[in-house]
Every structure is written in structure tokens, then in C-alpha cells.
């Protein structure tokens, strides 16, 4: 625990490493195999939610052995309070209307309250997508407010704030190659 690879943050910023690089690799290969089986012969659009999912998505798609298109969206809730279902602002980086004949797999870093994905599902349904599935690297089930069926989940974790491998705290720590819980002194 004394030094960490390819990152400039001291180990004392973290409480614990929750998912190591090796474990992330294993999770990705398991999920990619399921996707390879489930989408064989289909037209697949991978839609990553920025920014948090960009590292997970780039590693995941390189293990998927079927043709696919990739796009990104940015989803943010209106205001700064809690989000209600359907109340999400979406920025599209491709015109999603061009992809209505595709099966869409939305990839996010972590499933927390579920509000974002729930709103996004309504948004994509209203647009006309018929086959919508979700994939998240992490899941904090204790925090759920909006029930959402996520087909591919990497790992369930306790209710702790985590960073690394795309996940940030005030835009820091995304570049860590592992996922760690942040020490409480960092946000108090
Ligand atoms: P929710 O499921 O709508 O509550 O929102 C999930 C989003 O909140 C994720 O896409 C992350 O951007 C962010 N988030 C939730 N928990 C964490 C965490 O522990 N660390 C970093 N970001 C988090
Ligand atoms: Mg996010």
C-alpha cells in the first residue's frame, strides 16, 4: 500500500483499494463474454456516459469480439437537488435518431441512486429505441431510490465514495488504474 503505479496521489488519500487492476480485468472479460454471446448477429450501439464511464468503456469494447458502434452522452440532472424520473438533461455526441434500429447498451461507471439510468431509460424509450440494456462497473445497492434493471454489473460495493478508473472526486483521481474508497479527511 505504500506506493502506487502511474498516479500522483499519495496512498493516504484512500481508505482502501476496493477493486484492483487485476480484478477489473477479470470483471471486464466476464462481461465482454456475456455481451459477445447476447449480441451475436445484432446491430450493437455502445453508449458510454461521460465522463465517468470513458475508461471502463474503452477497455470493455476492446474485449467485445462482435462489430459495434460507439457513442457518448452526457447526462446531468436539472438543478442540484435530487433528480426525479424523466428529469434528465442529455447531450448527444451522435444523433441517436440515426441508431433507432440498433440494440443500445448504455455503459456507466457506477449505479448509485439509479435516478440517472432510470431517467435515461425513459428518454431512450421516448426516442424510439426498442432494445435498451444497461451495464455498470460498480453498484451501490444500498443507495437505490429508483428501481432499474441493470443486466451487466461488474461488482457490488458498500455505500462508500469511490474514485479511480474513471471515477472522480472534484475531477481528481480518474487516472488511477484501480478503484479505491476515498479517505474521509478528503471530503470533510
Ligand atoms: P445515480 O445512480 O443517478 O445516483 O448516479 C450515478 C452517478 O453518480 C454515477 O454515474 C457517478 O457519476 C456518480 N457517483 C455515484 N457514486 C459515486 C462514487 O462513489 N464516486 C464517484 N462518482 C459517483
Ligand atoms: Mg456519472
Amino acid at each position: 500500500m505504500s506506493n502506487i503505479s502511474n498516479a500522483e496521489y499519495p496512498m493516504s488519500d484512500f481508505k482502501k483499494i476496493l477493486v484492483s487492476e487485476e480484478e477489473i480485468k477479470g470483471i471486464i472479460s466476464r462481461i465482454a463474454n456475456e455481451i459477445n454471446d447476447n449480441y451475436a448477429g445484432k446491430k450493437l450501439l455502445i453508449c458510454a456516459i461521460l465522463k465517468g464511464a470513458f475508461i471502463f468503456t474503452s477497455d470493455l469494447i476492446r474485449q467485445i469480439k462482435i462489430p459495434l458502434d460507439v457513442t457518448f452522452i452526457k447526462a446531468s440532472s436539472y438543478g442540484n437537488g435530487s433528480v426525479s424520473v424523466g428529469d434528465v438533461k442529455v447531450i448527444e455526441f451522435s444523433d441517436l435518431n440515426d441508431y433507432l434500429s440498433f440494440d443500445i447498451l448504455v455503459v456507466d461507471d457506477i449505479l448509485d441512486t439509479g435516478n440517472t439510468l432510470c431517467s435515461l431509460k425513459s428518454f431512450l424509450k421516448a426516442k424510439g429505441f426498442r432494445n435498451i440494456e444497461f451495464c455498470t462497473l460498480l453498484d451501490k445497492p444500498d443507495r437505490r431510490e429508483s428501481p432499474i434493471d441493470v443486466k451487466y454489473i461488474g461488482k457490488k460495493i458498500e455505500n462508500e465514495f469511490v474514485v479511480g478508473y474513471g471515477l472522480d472526486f472534484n475531477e481528481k483521481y480518474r487516472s488511477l488504474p484501480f478503484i479505491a474508497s476515498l479517505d474521509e479527511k478528503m471530503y470533510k
Side-chain angles (χ1 to χ4, degrees), residues 15-181:
K15 193 153 83 184
K16 198 177 168 212
I17 294 184
L18 287 185
V19 198
S20 68
E21 274 188 87
E22 274 315 296
E23 189 174 1
I24 292 172
K25 278 192 190 136
I27 288 170
I28 287 177
S29 107
R30 168 179 56 83
I31 293 179
N33 285 337
E34 290 176 37
I35 291 171
N36 287 330
D37 290 346
N38 295 345
Y39 288 94
K42 307 252 174 74
K43 286 200 289 182
L44 173 59
L45 175 66
I46 298 280
C47 179
I49 304 182
L50 293 175
K51 299 178 192 173
F54 83 106
I55 294 180
F56 174 44
T57 305
S58 60
D59 282 344
L60 178 67
I61 59 175
R62 283 177 289 174
Q63 300 302 319
I64 299 178
K65 302 299 176 207
I66 53 177
L68 55 85
D69 281 24
V70 185
T71 190
F72 301 90
I73 56 167
K74 203 160 165 51
S76 43
S77 47
Y78 286 114
N80 48 16
S82 58
V83 207
S84 59
V85 174
D87 201 9
V88 70
K89 193 177 130 202
V90 177
I91 300 172
E92 300 178 15
F93 290 79
S94 309
D95 186 351
L96 290 176
N97 290 317
D98 295 341
Y99 281 104
L100 293 177
S101 64
F102 283 62
D103 288 359
I104 185 167
L105 177 62
V106 178
V107 180
D108 204 1
D109 49 3
I110 186 165
L111 176 62
D112 189 23
T113 63
N115 292 336
T116 310
L117 295 192
C118 222
S119 302
L120 213 50
K121 188 170 186 179
S122 312
F123 171 85
L124 294 170
K125 262 191 180 165
K127 248 189 184 308
F129 281 98
R130 276 165 302 168
N131 190 331
I132 307 163
E133 296 291 355
F134 295 95
C135 169
T136 67
L137 176 60
L138 300 171
D139 177 16
K140 288 198 266 197
D142 292 349
R143 295 253 311 157
R144 202 78 78 253
E145 293 171 8
S146 306
I148 173 90
D149 190 14
V150 174
K151 189 158 183 178
Y152 309 95
I153 288 179
K155 186 176 183 172
K156 287 187 174 28
I157 60 167
E158 302 285 304
N159 178 19
E160 286 186 295
F161 196 84
V162 295
V163 294
Y165 200 69
L167 293 108
D168 73 306
F169 173 65
N170 288 343
E171 294 303 325
K172 298 289 182 292
Y173 305 108
R174 292 194 199 275
S175 57
L176 292 173
F178 52 78
I179 289 158
S181 49

